[in-house]
Amino acid sequence: MADLRFLIVDDFSTMRRIVRNLLKESGFTDADEAEDGVAALHKLRNSKFDFVVTDINMPNMNGFQLLSEIKKDDKLKHLPVLMVTAEARKEDIVMAAQNGAAGYIVKPFTKATLEEKVTLILKKMGL
């Protein structure tokens, strides 16, 4: 399970580093980063990943746009996408679920919360 490859998408490098460190502490050491949806899609299409953790609010291509691009791409649509947001707005949660997000997490979050969400998603996927 620990050899899963994560892509962390956020326009703030500090946030990417935090998520990366939390994943590492949870035993998920293989991660790459992208600063927005455009860069993320490029990486996803050119390399193999198993899990996407993406912020919602980003320039160029936000998390929802990235999610919909992933879900309409046959090679990527199997990927679990965990959405990260600063505010738990009801409509965001609904939209994330409707668009096929695997889960939803609100900043700031702890290692325990992230680990629990990721583990739950992997379990659901039978990984």
Side-chain angles (χ1 to χ4, degrees), residues 36-115:
D36 62 32
V38 177
L41 262 186
H42 182 76
K43 287 193 172 190
L44 289 167
R45 288 183 172 139
N46 290 290
S47 190
K48 187 191 173 295
F49 288 93
D50 304 292
F51 205 109
V52 180
V53 180
T54 181
D55 190 34
I56 288 179
N57 299 314
M58 297 179 292
N60 304 322
M61 183 191 283
N62 69 31
F64 285 128
Q65 292 166 316
L66 172 61
L67 177 64
S68 93
E69 287 299 320
I70 288 172
K71 294 303 167 189
K72 63 186 186 204
D73 187 320
D74 283 343
K75 291 194 177 78
L76 302 176
K77 64 180 183 198
H78 66 283
L79 287 174
V81 180
L82 177 60
M83 312 288 287
V84 178
T85 185
E87 63 259 79
R89 293 201 319 227
K90 191 92 170 82
E91 59 269 33
D92 281 353
I93 298 171
V94 170
M95 196 161 154
Q98 283 174 341
N99 287 305
Y104 191 95
I105 199 167
V106 182
K107 298 186 233 188
F109 47 83
T110 59
K111 172 187 171 245
T113 309
L114 181 63
E115 193 173 342

